[in-house]
Amino acid sequence: MINLYVFRHGQSIYQCLRVISGLHEFGLSALGKYQTYNLASRTDVDFEIAYISDTKRTIETFEMLKLAGKMPPEENCIFTPLIREKCQGDFIMQEFKAFPDDPNKRNFTPSNGESWEDVQIRVSKTFDFLVRRYLFQQKKSQHNDDEYVKALFQQSQHIKSKKNNIILITHYGFIKEIVHYLKKADQLQLEQPYFAQNATLFTLQLHLKENQSWQAKIISLNSYTRQYRPFMD
């Protein structure tokens, strides 16, 4: 079994400015740092393995969690572009309102950016990696894996865990597509839209089934406990 904790970064400075973020940004706001440290101080989960998006706001979120004593040893912390936010291409550095973000247009791709379907492909690769590495205990990639997945297998070869408590430190859009991916695969029954708030946990358990497939069970939303919380509070 995998206990998968998906953590959205704290509030970023670009969020305060209501500007679309890219790779080159200012990181967390003072509130974002407080949000992260505050949540970390209230959770008692023993994270054994961490995969962190390689953007400044997620790296600073990781640093705040580390400061609170909630991160695993350095050798079990891996930074990866696979779980980055959706790339908004030429809309980066523009105001939020400038982006035509119609949720029904999943294949809309901004110039030099990604569609939501592109992000979901990265989500599926992430879950495929996690299942193969920690449920099936595979330590080597396959010939048809892309460069990001091959890098994760290589970086994760040495990791040994007892509880498989894994945290992903990632973004709103990536978490949104996790929910969409799992619902489409009939892995999640979620009646309402899910919006990942700043510095909150989305918790899953992944189990192997008898036919060597896997299933997901939702444990918490926008929370640091095992209790359901309002989607928009």
Side-chain angles (χ1 to χ4, degrees):
M1 182 181 74
I2 297 173
N3 295 308
L4 183 62
Y5 301 87
V6 186
F7 192 100
R8 184 187 177 188
H9 62 80
Q11 184 194 65
S12 70
I13 293 176
Y14 273 26
Q15 278 183 286
C16 295
L17 300 174
R18 301 195 64 76
V19 170
I20 296 171
S21 298
L23 288 179
H24 307 290
E25 37 106 10
F26 297 128
L28 297 181
S29 67
L31 175 59
K33 292 178 180 179
Y34 170 78
Q35 289 171 331
T36 304
Y37 190 87
N38 185 50
L39 184 142
S41 68
R42 294 186 292 172
T43 181
D44 58 358
V45 178
D46 178 22
F47 300 121
E48 297 176 291
I49 307 159
Y51 291 94
I52 305 108
S53 168
D54 61 346
T55 63
K56 188 171 183 179
R57 56 198 183 277
T58 42
I59 291 171
E60 288 190 356
T61 296
F62 160 75
E63 289 172 348
M64 294 304 299
L65 290 167
K66 186 177 179 181
L67 184 65
K70 298 301 181 180
M71 285 291 95
E74 184 176 344
E75 61 269 20
N76 286 8
C77 299
I78 297 169
F79 299 88
T80 174
L82 190 62
I83 61 174
R84 285 176 183 168
E85 180 61 283
K86 178 180 183 287
C87 178
Q88 305 291 25
D90 291 351
F91 287 98
I92 291 172
M93 291 297 295
Q94 295 191 40
E95 294 183 4
F96 287 169
K97 62 184 179 182
F99 188 76
D101 193 11
D102 183 343
N104 296 316
K105 295 182 179 179
R106 293 189 52 79
N107 290 316
F108 170 70
T109 307
S111 180
N112 299 311
E114 291 181 301
S115 69
W116 285 116
E117 293 294 341
D118 292 330
V119 180
Q120 190 170 146
I121 289 171
R122 291 197 280 112
V123 167
S124 67
K125 290 178 180 178
T126 301
F127 272 79
D128 181 60
F129 162 74
L130 292 172
V131 168
R132 285 159 54 195
R133 176 64 185 86
Y134 297 106
L135 284 182
F136 290 105
Q137 300 295 314
Q138 296 177 9
K139 293 190 176 181
K140 294 184 179 180
S141 60
Q142 299 173 349
H143 70 279
N144 59 341
D145 287 328
D146 69 13
E147 58 180 317
Y148 294 152
V149 175
K150 287 179 179 178
L152 288 179
F153 269 103
Q154 184 176 10
Q155 293 170 295
S156 304
Q157 278 185 338
H158 66 282
I159 294 177
K160 297 179 181 179
S161 63
K162 295 180 180 179
K163 298 179 181 178
N164 279 351
N165 286 342
I166 301 171
I167 184 170
L168 306 183
I169 302 176
T170 183
H171 307 263
Y172 155 74
F174 194 83
I175 298 173
K176 170 179 175 290
E177 285 306 305
I178 287 177
V179 172
H180 192 88
Y181 166 72
L182 294 174
K183 286 177 67 177
K184 191 165 73 171
D186 291 328
Q187 294 286 337
L188 278 187
Q189 300 298 320
L190 196 60
E191 296 179 358
Q192 302 181 51
Y194 175 67
F195 181 90
Q197 299 174 51
N198 288 322
T200 52
L201 282 173
F202 166 42
T203 311
L204 292 170
Q205 286 181 344
L206 308 183
H207 303 265
L208 277 179
K209 297 170 70 175
E210 291 182 1
N211 60 359
Q212 297 299 298
S213 62
W214 59 276
Q215 64 181 18
K217 178 182 179 182
I218 191 166
I219 303 298
S220 67
L221 298 168
N222 281 335
S223 181
Y224 60 92
T225 70
R226 295 194 172 205
Q227 301 296 319
Y228 283 87
R229 291 172 61 84
F231 289 93
M232 300 289 287
D233 57 6

